Amino acid sequence: MKTRYEPADVEPRIAQAWLDSGISHPEPEGDPAENYSIAIPPPNVTGVLHMGHALNNAVQDTLIRRARQQGKRTKWILGTDHAGIATQTQVEKELLSRLGTSREELGREEFISRVWAWRERYGSQIIEQIKRLGSTPDFSDERFTFDDRYGEAVLKVFVDLYEKGYIYRDRYLVNWDPGSRSAISDLEVDEREVTDTLFYIDYPLASGSGSITVATVRPETMLADVAIAVNPDDERYQRLIGETAILPIVGRKLKIIADGYVKTDFGTGALKITPGHDPNDFEIGNRHGLPHPSVIGEDGCMEGEAVPERYLGLKTGDARIAIVAELAELGLIRRREEYTHTVPFSNRSGARIEPLISLQWFMRMDELAEPAVDVVKSGQIKFHPERWTKVYLDWMGNIRPWCVSRQLWWGHQIPVWYHDDGRVHVDTKAPDGPGWERDPDVLDTWFSSGLWPFATLGWPQRTPELKAFYPTDVLSTGRDIIFLWVARMIMLGLEFTGEIPFSDVYIHSIIQAPDGRRMSKSLGTGIDPLALIDGGERPPVFAKSAGEDAGEFPAYGADAVRWGLLAMSSGQDVRFNEEKVSQAQQLTNKLWNASRLVLGRVDAGTRAEARPQAPEDHWILARLQRAVAAVGEAIDSFEFSRAALSLYDFVYGELCDWYLELVKPRLYEGDPDTAATLLHILTETVTLAHPLIPFVTEEIYAHIPGSEGLLAGGRAQSGASAGNPDALAEHEVERAIEAIQAIRAWRDAADVKASAILEAQLRAEGYEETVAHLARLGRLEIGVDGDGLDGSAAAIAIPGGVIHVLASADVDVEAATRKREAKRSELEAEIKRAEGKLANQGFTAKAPPAVVEAERTKLEALRAELEAL
RNA sequence: GGGCGAUUAGCUCAGCUGGGAGAGCGCCGCCUCGACAAGGCGGAGGUCACUGGUUCGAGCCCAGUAUCGCCCACCA
């Protein structure tokens, strides 16, 4: 065994062993209440692994491995998402750049087959990357949201919802994304701040007596104006309500109407109403029974009956310039001003949203939302951290219809056929006979992902998988898709299975770039998890100054990356910090070397068993017990950073820093009880650590004499960590540790060489069992006969007493005295504080007795220590 | 406009139900001591953003202020 743990030598081999072992592929048996299942958030089939995946995989794999240790039959459902827009866009780009062709040129069927080919080529990439992380989803049972079987479930859901009246088709104002040339949902729209010119335009009154001025940033939409609205209480316009204005350029008559929506203090207080191209105007138009003509087509160019011929086909931007020029010529532009406001952009294509009236499929959500609200309010589904509950409930509380149709090709085609004669056929199967044509649109990707937890298990068939693993237990994801995905899974799960799809929703942290920006490939702030694992270029975002080379990542290994990410993420958004990964690397290395110490010294015949002999054995067993509880509770309550740090504290701060040092003499003597106990401690420690750092623990486990099978197979924590902790022994060891630290600090202060063994006298009770440790680790020769005090050069204060150090050339007496006096005044100050507190009647009267008692005990101990000094 | 979160050591962050401020990294000093130099030991370093309040006692609870971040929302 090497002195340094090299993850690269170990991890691939072990990952393969896990794959071959079948541990992640359960038989579909038993009851979902006893079984444990998680459905992975399916990554985009053409995606590559990023930090969010790495963290989320660490989370889910930790949960899954813990469940295995608890003896549960576990299923981690794996699969990928066809990701409609994203994938289609990617393939279209590829077609254009490599073949100079477009999907339109290829035709629908050919294009789809190209996407499948693309999927064959790149689809397994992210799955391979997930393997490298050490994740153990069921690789033998991979799903895809565009598989035939999955597709059947999607169509069935559509048809059912249609028949129940939830899904309907309507001409409605939608968010049109000119980039992907499709409608998109409200959730795919980002608001961005933009500076536009606000034009004040005079609309002449039909009466000929003057004009009314409206303000707009989109003059080109005026061609679709149907009215002018003012606030009914606006005194300026009272007399104009009911009058008629003339739409410039076109000459159409516009009624001046009153509507409470109009603000009196913005613009001119008069609003042009364009229901065909503005959501608010659409509402107002509906209230007043107005038509909603359209002047902008799906290609973002001017079209429609209302458009004068000279403007037809112009892009909206060009049309704006031309129309403003014409208005200026007519003398109707009263004013222009800079105006900064937020406007919608597609977060798919980045294009500015063009609100358009369009014939689309919608899903009514309010009724479906009700039970989905109830199960969260009642606690059947819990969010972690808990604050996301409110976010979810607020959104569900005023949920709006969902536009589910997309004008794409890569997706589940809507199962609706239209006949020449006007008949409509909605069914999972095509109708017989001629004259039918299928709706060309496909469903929003999130429509199919919404079925993920049950469609992956074979629903609508009552498959053994569905019976055994649905409902699932935990859904772990990022907060950006709470509405897009989580909410829809809950609604659709309840509607179609009658059960909650999962009982806990864990919302993991977002890991930001080291400089606090969003991690993004295009910004150059992304960090590739695999570069961290296997070593690779450290991105420029790490550079201390611009242009400086940030060097390379060492090959930290998957364990380090997993632990590091978990330790970073405490439910809060955090900056990526490489030190945490490095800290984890040290942890794995430490554990590795600790195991070398133990395994190199025990016989092959030794079997792990707790056979405590000395106080430190009881102490470490108690600490182990505590660590097992702490790590377990932390994982169970989704506090992964706490779990990671609790583990670290135990392995580093207790096991390696102290126990191994204390036990060394007995280990070197070859004491069989010590060896057995050490093996027990080591076995239990790797078991405890395994969900968080699976590779190194598996590797160590394989070297432990008598170990059987794979640790990942679900070895349970052996509960009997030697029964009840021996409180007395624990206390003895604690004070021994404090004493050793005091001695070391004193040696340092007194400038004593590390190699010097000093003669000393112990003057303190309670070290009978541990005095040898004080001597060895404090590098003292401790006599206990009480002689030799005359030669005392210094006194070291330790809990419950003092150690006298005999005069020696190695001791700087002056420095030692300074140290002693410093300690003395420290003690005096603390005594004073404790006395003051106890003298406070309020404290003694109102504080809990236990607290007061603890304070008294502490004071006594301090006084004793000072006394001894 | 509404909501949520953050503000603790030089840096990145812990600190769960109120009872003497912690970690990792960085910094200083010592150490090739039979697991580990990616190591060990010791140390320095903090008015817990600010102002009030509740309490015997506040980093933690309450009110307000400031700064930063995120989410939701239909002001032309």
Side-chain angles (χ1 to χ4, degrees), chain A residues 4-30:
Chain A
R4 183 186 286 191
Y5 175 64
E6 299 282 1
D9 296 346
V10 170
E11 293 183 348
R13 172 167 44 81
I14 288 183
Q16 192 58 46
W18 289 333
L19 275 178
D20 297 340
S21 70
I23 52 161
S24 61
H25 180 68
E27 289 305 313
E29 291 165 358

Side-chain angles (χ1 to χ4, degrees), chain A residues 119-282:
Chain A
R119 190 236 165 186
E120 292 307 313
R121 233 182 318 154
Y122 299 104
S124 57
Q125 190 179 355
I126 194 156
I127 302 293
E128 291 307 311
Q129 292 174 322
I130 286 171
K131 284 180 191 164
R132 183 64 191 87
L133 291 172
S135 293
T136 48
D138 190 348
F139 287 107
S140 67
D141 190 19
E142 188 185 328
R143 298 306 160 105
F144 183 43
T145 57
F146 210 36
D147 282 339
D148 288 346
R149 240 180 110 190
Y150 199 102
E152 284 169 26
V154 172
L155 298 193
K156 176 179 165 50
V157 165
F158 183 93
V159 172
D160 281 5
L161 288 172
Y162 175 81
E163 283 169 359
K164 289 175 185 168
Y166 290 117
I167 284 187
Y168 58 95
R169 200 183 192 208
D170 196 11
R171 284 186 66 80
Y172 201 83
L173 193 80
V174 298
N175 303 302
W176 186 263
D177 174 5
S180 57
R181 299 187 61 179
S182 171
I184 58 176
S185 78
D186 295 341
L187 291 170
E188 291 162 309
V189 170
D190 291 332
E191 299 285 329
R192 268 192 249 157
E193 211 163 72
V194 160
T195 300
D196 280 322
T197 305
L198 185 61
F199 298 93
Y200 289 74
I201 304 169
D202 286 343
Y203 284 28
L205 294 172
S207 62
S209 57
S211 62
I212 184 166
T213 309
V214 300
T216 179
V217 293
R218 305 205 54 196
E220 70 277 14
T221 66
M222 69 186 290
L223 303 176
D225 284 0
V226 295
I228 290 173
V230 298
N231 189 290
D233 300 327
D234 193 334
E235 287 174 13
R236 292 172 296 177
Y237 297 118
Q238 282 297 324
R239 57 184 186 84
L240 292 181
I241 296 172
E243 292 284 306
T244 303
I246 304 295
L247 180 61
I249 299 178
V250 182
R252 195 160 65 232
K253 289 181 178 167
L254 305 177
K255 199 98 177 267
I256 298 175
I257 60 175
D259 194 287
Y261 167 80
V262 183
K263 303 277 183 296
T264 57
D265 57 356
F266 188 87
T268 62
L271 177 62
K272 76 187 200 56
I273 300 301
T274 320
H277 298 290
D278 183 280
N280 302 313
D281 294 8
F282 187 78

Side-chain angles (χ1 to χ4, degrees), chain A residues 474-487:
Chain A
V474 178
L475 188 277
S476 173
T477 190
R479 57 141 189 271
D480 48 330
I481 51 178
I482 291 177
F483 307 143
L484 282 167
W485 192 46
V486 179

Side-chain angles (χ1 to χ4, degrees), chain A residues 623-644:
Chain A
R623 293 291 161 162
L624 172 65
Q625 214 172 41
R626 219 171 288 181
V628 167
V631 172
E633 280 163 21
I635 294 175
D636 291 344
S637 53
F638 303 97
E639 296 175 87
F640 297 98
S641 73
R642 192 202 290 247

Side-chain angles (χ1 to χ4, degrees), chain A residues 542-702:
Chain A
F542 284 91
K544 294 204 170 57
S545 60
E548 189 194 344
D549 186 7
E552 299 222 326
F553 289 126
Y556 284 114
D559 280 340
V561 171
R562 292 168 57 121
W563 187 96
L565 289 175
L566 292 177
M568 269 177 242
S569 67
S570 52
Q572 207 57 241
D573 286 359
V574 284
R575 296 178 183 204
F576 178 82
N577 98 330
E578 195 179 337
E579 281 78 33
K580 274 282 180 289
V581 180
S582 166
Q583 188 181 348
Q585 182 192 27
Q586 289 173 44
L587 175 67
T588 54
N589 190 240
K590 198 74 174 174
L591 199 51
W592 173 256
N593 279 298
S595 73
R596 284 202 317 129
L597 170 67
V598 176
L599 298 174
R601 296 275 173 175
V602 300
D603 297 338
T606 309
R607 288 296 170 267
E609 188 187 348
R611 302 212 290 255
Q613 311 294 308
E616 60 267 22
D617 299 333
H618 293 284
W619 174 79
I620 196 65
L621 288 168
R623 293 291 161 162
L624 172 65
Q625 214 172 41
R626 219 171 288 181
V628 167
V631 172
E633 280 163 21
I635 294 175
D636 291 344
S637 53
F638 303 97
E639 296 175 87
F640 297 98
S641 73
R642 192 202 290 247
L645 292 168
S646 297
L647 174 70
Y648 183 94
D649 288 345
F650 171 72
V651 170
Y652 236 89
E654 289 169 349
L655 179 60
C656 294
D657 285 355
W658 291 105
Y659 183 67
L660 294 181
E661 294 304 329
L662 294 173
V663 83
K664 266 177 185 172
R666 283 189 287 146
L667 176 65
Y668 293 148
E669 281 166 16
D671 174 56
D673 290 331
T674 301
T677 303
L678 268 167
L679 273 192
H680 169 78
I681 302 276
L682 183 62
T683 309
E684 293 308 312
T685 299
V686 294
T687 304
L688 172 65
H690 184 258
L692 295 160
I693 42 174
F695 286 107
V696 68
T697 48
E698 187 75 79
E699 177 69 1
I700 293 170
Y701 184 72

Side-chain angles (χ1 to χ4, degrees), chain A residues 827-841 843-844 855-856 858-860 862-863 866:
Chain A
L827 282 171
E828 279 167 350
E830 285 189 39
I831 287 168
K832 208 172 159 189
R833 203 180 314 169
E835 282 172 346
K837 205 166 179 182
L838 287 165
N840 183 341
Q841 301 236 329
F843 177 70
T844 48
E855 198 66 31
R856 289 220 171 90
K858 192 192 295 173
L859 178 59
E860 276 169 38
L862 288 169
R863 278 179 176 151
L866 183 66

